Amino acid sequence: MTDSKYFTTTKKGEIFELKAELNSDKKEKKKEAVKKVIASMTVGKDVSALFPDVVNCMQTDNLELKKLVYLYLMNYAKSQPDMAIMAVNTFVKDCEDPNPLIRALAVRTMGCIRVDKITEYLCEPLRKCLKDEDPYVRKTAAVCVAKLHDINAQLVEDQGFLDTLKDLISDSNPMVVANAVAALSEIAESHPNSNLLDLNPQTINKLLTALNECTEWGQIFILDCLANYTPRDDRESQSICERVTPRLSHANSAVVLSAVKVLMKFMEMLPKDLDYYGTLLKKLAPPLVTLLSAEPELQYVALRNINLIVQRRPEILKHEMKVFFVKYNDPIYVKLEKLDIMIRLASQANIAQVLAELKEYATEVDVDFVRKAVRAIGRCAIKVEQSAERCVSTLLDLIQTKVNYVVQEAIVVIKDIFRKYPNKYESVIATLCENLDSLDEPEARAAMIWIVGEYAERIDNADELLESFLEGFHDESTQVQLQLLTAIVKLFLKKPTETQELVQQVLSLATQDSDNPDLRDRGYIYWRLLSTDPVAAKEVVLAEKPLISEETDLIEPTLLEELICHIGTLASVYHKPPSAFVEGSRGVQHKRLPGSAGSGESVDSPDPGSAAGASEAPPAVIPSQGDLLGDLLNLDLTPPTTTGPPPAPSSGMQLGAMDLLGGGLDSLLGGDLGGGAAMGAGFGAAPAAMPASFSAPVSGGLDDLFDLGGGVGMPMGAYSPPKTIWLPAMKAKGLEISGTFARRAGVIQMEMTLTNKAMSVMTDFAIQFNRNSFGLAPAGPLQILTPLSPNQSIEASLPLSTVGPVMKMEPLTNLQVAVKNNIDVFYFSCQYPISMLFVEDGKMERQVFLATWKDIPNDNESQFQIKDCHLSSDATSNKLQGSNVFTIAKRTVEGQDMLYQSMKLTNGIWVLAELRVQTGNPNYTVSLKCRAPEVSQCVFQSYEAMLKN
Amino acid sequence: MIGGLFIYNHKGEVLISRVYRDDIGRNAVDAFRVNVIHARQQVRSPVTNIARTSFFHVKRSNIWLAAVTKQNVNATMVFEFLYKMCDVMAAYFGKISEENVKNNFVLIYELLDEILDFGYPQNSETGALKTFITQQGIKSQSKEEQAQITSQVTGQIGWRREGIKYRRNELFLDVLESVNLLMSPQGQVLSAHVSGRVVMKSYLSGMPECKFGMNDKIVIDKQNKGGSSEEGGKSGKQSIAIDDCTFHQCVRLSKFDSERSISFIPPDGDYELMRYRTTKDIILPFRVIPLVREVGRTKLEVKVVIKSNFKSSLLAQKIEVRIPTPLNTSGVQLICMKGKAKYKASENAIVWKIKRMAGMKESQISAEIELLPTNDKKWARPPISMNFEVPFAPSGLKVRYLKVFEPKLNYSDHDVIKWVRYIGRSGIYETRC
C-alpha cells in the first residue's frame, strides 16, 4: 500500500465524501480519510471546512492518527478558534498520559496552536511538564516556553515560566540544558535589556559541561549562547577557549563554525604575546580548510565566513592559498567566493601562483566569473607592487583576445593601476585606445575617458577621441557624462588653444541641456572656475591626486567587528548586520567584539594619543561613496548611482555588494572603532569659539564618518511612536485601524494593524492619501492578500514615497487617509512625526553649517524648552542620530554642552539646531533655524518625542 | 530559527509543507517556487532572500528541499540540518524521489515533528528515531521500553541503545580515501590533498568501549620520545601528518584534544567514524602527461600518457580518462594501446576506459580531432580528468589497532572478528592541458 494515492484525488464533491469517511465507524477508513485531508492541505487546498470532523478523530489511542490530527490542528486552529477549544480537553488529558511520548506530543502541539483561549489552558500542563520526571518531556516543555512567549510574552512572565526555564540550565540531562539555553536565548533576543540569560562564571561552567555531552544541535545552541558572553578577564577567556577548542574536530560544520565564532571573539581579550594566543591561531586554520571539503552549500557559507575572518585576522590562513584555488566543477557561487579570498590572501610570497591561476580563470566560460578574475588581476597589481608589471602585461594579453567583456573589465582595472602607479605604464595607452569602439558598458567607457583626460598631453588625438563621445552625450549614463565633462576640462587646461570650442560645447551640454543636478552643478563650477581664474582652475583640476590605497573592497571595520560576532549566521552570509534583513525587534542589538586585554583601559580614555597608540589602526578603506568635494577634484570616486543597491527594503538582497546607503550601516558609522582618536583631533581641543571648530581641514572626509560618538554605545534606530488608534471600529463598520510611522533603511513606512471587529469577512483593501504638506503617497498598493476574517488582525506595512502632490496642511504634518474595503470607504486623518522625513544624508559640512546659520535671518530662529530629559549629551546625540539628526559639532562652555545639529527633510529643507544640555539640569534648550520657519514647531515636537523615548 | 520546511518536486509542486513559525505564511511556498525553482536564470546562491525572508535550499536528484526563516539563523546549522534530513529520509525509505516522498508523506511529517521543534533541531540519529517512529505505524511499547526510548533520545549516548546482542561480534573497518589533484600541463602539482573517511560497520554486543589507533605522526612521535632513536627514524617514515580531522559525535573530543586518542562507544551498524585531510607526502597513483597541438584551424592533435605510480604487485581498477574536446569537433580518430576509447559527442569528450592496470606501468592514447571552422571565441580547454580505484590509502594511513572492551559481557577484544580494508579513489583528479 502506498500513500501517494492521497495526492491524486481531485474529484468534485470531495469534501463531502471526506466528511462521510471521517465520521465512519471503521478505524481504518477514518485514518485513510485523515491522510487524504493532510495531503490536500499540503498541496494548498482549503480543507478547513472539515475542522469539527477531524477534531472528532482526536480521541483515539492510535498514536499515528493522533499525530495526523494534531498536524491538522496546528494548521487550521487559528482560523477556527472557537472550535479549537473543543480540542483542549484531549490535550489536557494527554498531558497526564502515562506514556512520556504522548505527554511530550501534547505539550509540543499545544504550544503550536496560536489561539488565545487555548494558551490559557496550556499554562497548567506546561508547568507540570517542565518538572516532569522524564527528560524527553522536559526538553519539549523547555521549547514550549519559547513558543508561548512568542504568542503571549506577558503571560510567560506572569506565570513565572522564565524562572523555571532558568532552573533547567542546571538540569541533569544535557539535552534539556541545550533546549533551555535555546529557548532563553531566543526570549532574551526580544528583551535586549533584560538580564535573562544572566551569564556568569557558574552558568558558563554548567554550559561547558553540557557541551561535552549533548547532541550536535545542542552543542550549536550552547556555543551560540556562549558567544554572547563577555569574560571578565583574559584568564577566564583563555580557560573558556581551551574548553571550546576540542569542538573544532566535530563532524558537524555548524558546531565547528560556532566554535570558531566563540574563539574569534574571546581571542580579542588575550594578550598577543601570550603563547596560547599563537597556539590558538594555529589551531584555527585546519578546521576552516576542512570546511571546504563539505557539500557545496556549506562551502559557500564557510567561504563567506572565511572572507570575514581573513579580513579580521589575515595571519590565520596566510599559508593556505592553494586550498582556495578554483576547481573546474565547483558551483559558480563557490568559485566567485574563492576568488575573493584568493585576492585577500595574495602577497609577495605567493603572487606568481595566484597570477597563473587568475590567468587560467580568465579563459573560462561563465561571464561573471571571468570578469571577476580579470578584476582580480588588477587588484593584485595594486596590492603587490612587485607584481604590477606582470599583471599589466597579463591584462594586455587578455585585451588582445578581443572578448568584449574581458576588454572592458581590463580597462576598468587598468585605470585603477594608473591611479596607484602614475607615470609608469602609460605605454599601454595606445593599445587601450584601439579598443575604444568596442566599449559599451558605462563603467568601461568612463574609465577610458578618464584615462584619455588624465593623459591628454600624451595622446595626440585626445580631442578627437573625446569629441567622438560627445555626439551622444545625452544618451550616456551619468557616470560617463560626469567623466566626460571633467576629461574635456582637463584637456582644455592642458591644450587650451585647440580645444576651446570643445570645452564650450561640453559646458553648455552639461549646464543648459541636462536635467541632472549633479552634472549641472559640476558644469557650473568648472565654468566659473575657468572664467574667473584659469590658473586656480589648473591648480584645482590638475592637482596631484592621492594614491589609492592597497586594499579595496574591505568591509568597514565596525561592521566587520559586528559580523565577526555573527559568524555562521545569515548575517555573515549576507555580510550585512541582522537589522538590515530581520524585521521587528529581533537582532536589532548590535554586537561588538570585546576590547583586547592590552588596550582595554584606554578605549574609553579621553586622551587621544594613548587611544590611538593602543588600539589597532583600522585599515584604510576606500569609501565607495565620495563626498562632493572629492568628486569635484576628480578623485575618481564612483558616483553614488552605481554603488550598492537602492535602499528599498523589498528589493532582493545583493550578495557581496556592500550596502553603504542602507539604513543599518548608516547608524553603524557612529561606532567607535578608531573614533576615540578622531574625536580627540576633531573636538577634543575644545575651541573657544564656534568658528574655530568649523575650520578643521576639509580633507578629513573619512575621519568625519567616524568622529561621532567616540566611546559611546551604539546609536539606536530611528524613533517610531507607539501605535495609536486612527480609525475606531465604531466609525468604520467594524474595521479598526491603528498605526504608526517608521523610517527604515531610508524608506518611510506606514505601519498599520487592521482588525476586523465585524461579523463578516473583509477583502479588497485599498488605500489613498489626500494631498499633504510633504507629498507623501503610497509607494505601492496596500498588501493585504488574505481576506480578513472576523476577529482577526493583520499587520500591514506600507512603504511611502514623497513624490505625491503637495498641499500645505494644518497642522503641517496632518495626513488625510481613505481606506476602502469590500464594505465601504472610510476616511480618517492622522499625524506623522516630522522625524520620519529626516533623510539619511542630512549631515551638513561644518563650514556649510556655519555659513547657513549666519545666513538665515534671526527672525527665523525659534527657541523651545524640553523638560525632564535625563540623557547625557553623548547619549542625546546618539539617540538623535538614529533618527537622522546629525550632530556636527559639540562644544562645552561653562559646564554646558552645546550640540550643533543638522537635519534635512525629504523635500530638501534644511533645519539647523543648537541644543543646550547642562549636566544636572533636566531642562534642555533647543534653538532651531530654518528657512521655512513653519516646520520649527513640528521639529521641536519630534525632538521631544525622540528624546523621551 | 527555521520557520518552515518545504519539499518540492522538479516542477515546483509542494510535496511536504511544514510551518513551524507564525511569521512564515503560505505565500512563502509560492515565493520560493517563483523566484528559485522557476527562475529564468540559473540560481547563483544556495541562500536566497526574497522580501526579507531567507530561503536555504539543497537539491537531491530532482527534489528540492527548502528551509525558510525570517530571522538571523545559524546558516551552517540549517544546511547541516537539511543534509541530515536527507540522510534520515534515505535511511527510512531509500532514494529521495518524488515517488518515495509521496509514498511516505505521513512518515515524513511525523519525522519533521520529531526532529524539528519550533525550528530547533532535536535528536536526529536514525538509530534512535527508528526505535519509536516506523513506517509500519507506531509500535505499542511497554512502560520500560518507553522509558528506554526517552532516555536514549535525550541521553548522553543518543546513538546507541542498550541491550544489543550478537552471537558473533564482528567489526568491519574501511579506510576510504579520495585523492584530489590539480596539475599544471608541465607536471607541476598545483594542489593536492587526500580527504579520507574511516567508515565502520559494527556488530557488537552490549555497550562496548572502543579505542582506535592509526599511524598519526603526532602520536607516534610522542611514543618515540621514550623509545630508542633508531626506531624513531624508522617509524617516522611510516607515520603521516594529518592536517585536520573531524569525528562522529560518539568520539570523545576533549580526550582527543588532550591525549590525541580516539575513544568512543560505537553506534550499532553503519556509521562514519572520522574524516580527515592530509596534504603532505601523498602518493599520487597516476600521472597524466598531456600534449595538445593545434594543427591549423581545423585540426587538433592530442596525445595523453598515463603512468601508474605504485607497487607493481598492486592493481588499479576502473580507470577512466576523460579528455575534453572542443564544441566544434566534427570527427575523432583514436589509437590507444590498452583498454577502450570512445568519442562521446554529447559529452564533448573522449572517454578512455581501462579495466585494470598494474603499478609502475604506462599507457598512451593519441587522437586526431577534426574541427569545423568557427568564429566562436577560443576554446577554454577544460582540464583532463581521471577516475580510478586503488587498493591502498594514498595518504599512507595505516590502522594500527582497534580495541574493544566490554567489561559487563563475557567477550574480550580477541573474540571480536575485525576486518580492515583500504580503498583509494580519485576525487577531483585533474591535469590542465
Side-chain angles (χ1 to χ4, degrees), chain A residues 428-473:
Chain A
V428 308
I429 291 177
T431 323
L432 301 186
C433 289
E434 286 166 23
N435 291 286
L436 209 61
D437 298 332
S438 64
L439 308 180
D440 51 14
E441 289 161 19
E443 205 182 349
R445 287 172 82 85
M448 193 64 222
I449 293 169
W450 181 85
I451 292 172
V452 174
E454 188 66 17
Y455 296 101
E457 67 273 29
R458 311 185 196 197
I459 306 171
D460 295 336
N461 59 346
D463 48 343
E464 282 168 39
L465 292 177
L466 292 176
E467 199 170 2
S468 70
F469 282 102
L470 214 50
E471 282 161 21
F473 188 77

Side-chain angles (χ1 to χ4, degrees), chain A residues 539-606:
Chain A
E539 271 170 29
V540 171
V541 179
L542 301 181
E544 200 168 310
K545 282 167 277 295
L547 299 185
I548 59 175
S549 99
E550 293 186 358
E551 284 282 2
T552 49
D553 290 358
L554 282 179
I555 292 177
E556 191 275 323
T558 343
L559 176 62
L560 181 61
E561 278 200 35
E562 190 182 358
L563 292 180
I564 290 283
C565 299
H566 287 293
I567 283 179
T569 68
L570 264 180
S572 73
V573 175
Y574 293 149
H575 288 185
K576 291 186 179 207
S579 52
F581 59 92
V582 175
E583 273 167 4
S585 60
R586 279 180 213 279
V588 176
Q589 286 166 279
H590 293 294
K591 295 191 180 178
R592 294 186 46 198
L593 291 174
S596 82
S599 61
E601 323 76 67
S602 53
V603 164
D604 293 322
S605 109

Side-chain angles (χ1 to χ4, degrees), chain A residues 824-856:
Chain A
D824 205 340
V825 183
F826 311 104
Y827 302 92
F828 63 90
S829 66
C830 52
Q831 282 191 40
Y832 46 92
I834 202 164
S835 60
M836 295 302 125
L837 304 172
F838 295 169
V839 295
E840 276 68 20
D841 61 350
K843 184 165 182 174
M844 233 181 212
E845 285 288 319
R846 282 179 230 165
Q847 275 99 336
V848 184
F849 183 93
L850 186 64
T852 320
W853 185 274
K854 280 190 190 150
D855 203 34
I856 298 176

Side-chain angles (χ1 to χ4, degrees), chain A residues 97-351:
Chain A
D97 197 280
N99 185 343
L101 294 172
I102 294 192
R103 290 203 296 278
L105 178 64
V107 78
R108 184 164 67 210
T109 312
M110 237 174 140
C112 295
I113 296 178
R114 307 176 61 93
V115 173
D116 282 342
K117 284 177 197 159
I118 287 206
T119 45
E120 285 166 27
Y121 290 97
L122 174 60
C123 292
E124 275 324 298
L126 178 59
R127 198 187 313 283
K128 270 186 209 155
C129 288
L130 280 167
K131 304 221 159 109
D132 200 285
E133 51 168 23
D134 194 296
Y136 184 76
V137 180
R138 289 202 302 277
K139 71 112 182 161
T140 311
V143 176
C144 191
V145 176
K147 292 180 190 170
L148 189 58
H149 186 270
D150 193 37
I151 304 169
N152 190 341
Q154 198 56 45
L155 187 69
V156 171
E157 274 171 49
D158 295 347
Q159 296 277 338
F161 285 139
L162 295 181
D163 294 321
T164 325
L165 202 53
K166 276 191 213 167
D167 294 341
L168 287 183
I169 291 193
S170 315
D171 200 279
S172 58
N173 184 294
M175 194 160 176
V176 178
V177 178
N179 277 4
V181 167
L184 276 173
S185 305
E186 174 163 347
I187 296 171
E189 229 175 77
S190 48
H191 291 281
N193 299 320
S194 71
N195 199 16
L196 247 186
L197 264 165
D198 186 30
L199 294 173
N200 54 46
Q202 284 83 35
T203 40
I204 292 292
N205 198 28
K206 281 176 198 157
L207 293 184
L208 286 167
T209 312
L211 187 62
N212 286 322
E213 295 167 350
C214 62
T215 65
E216 43 192 330
W217 313 115
Q219 298 188 15
I220 301 168
F221 307 153
I222 293 179
L223 287 168
D224 284 351
C225 173
L226 270 180
N228 292 326
Y229 177 64
T230 312
R232 286 161 310 169
D233 52 30
D234 51 322
R235 227 167 303 145
E236 192 188 5
S237 179
Q238 179 176 347
S239 88
I240 296 176
C241 287
E242 279 166 358
R243 293 177 71 179
V244 167
T245 33
R247 297 299 120 197
L248 294 175
S249 314
H250 202 285
N252 187 316
S253 317
V255 176
V256 176
L257 260 185
S258 292
V260 169
K261 166 165 58 189
V262 175
L263 296 175
M264 281 293 287
K265 199 175 161 193
F266 289 10
M267 217 154 95
E268 298 286 329
M269 293 187 67
L270 300 177
K272 289 203 164 165
D273 44 358
L274 196 70
D275 284 347
Y276 181 71
Y277 179 83
T279 321
L280 199 54
L281 275 184
K282 272 194 210 116
K283 278 194 173 171
L284 276 171
L288 287 174
V289 174
T290 299
L291 292 175
L292 298 184
S293 34
E295 290 84 347
E297 291 89 0
L298 275 177
Q299 279 187 47
Y300 172 72
V301 176
L303 285 164
R304 295 289 288 175
N305 279 286
I306 289 173
N307 199 328
L308 300 172
I309 294 169
V310 164
Q311 288 184 58
R312 181 76 197 166
R313 299 205 175 273
E315 62 271 33
I316 294 178
L317 287 166
K318 66 179 174 208
H319 299 303
E320 302 288 351
M321 171 61 90
K322 276 187 179 178
V323 298
F324 297 103
F325 284 0
V326 171
K327 294 188 189 123
Y328 190 73
N329 291 319
D330 280 338
I332 183 68
Y333 52 81
V334 169
K335 283 186 176 174
L336 293 171
E337 293 307 317
K338 280 188 174 172
L339 199 51
D340 233 14
I341 295 169
M342 279 175 68
I343 305 164
R344 297 211 192 283
L345 292 177
S347 67
Q348 204 184 330
N350 57 24
I351 193 73

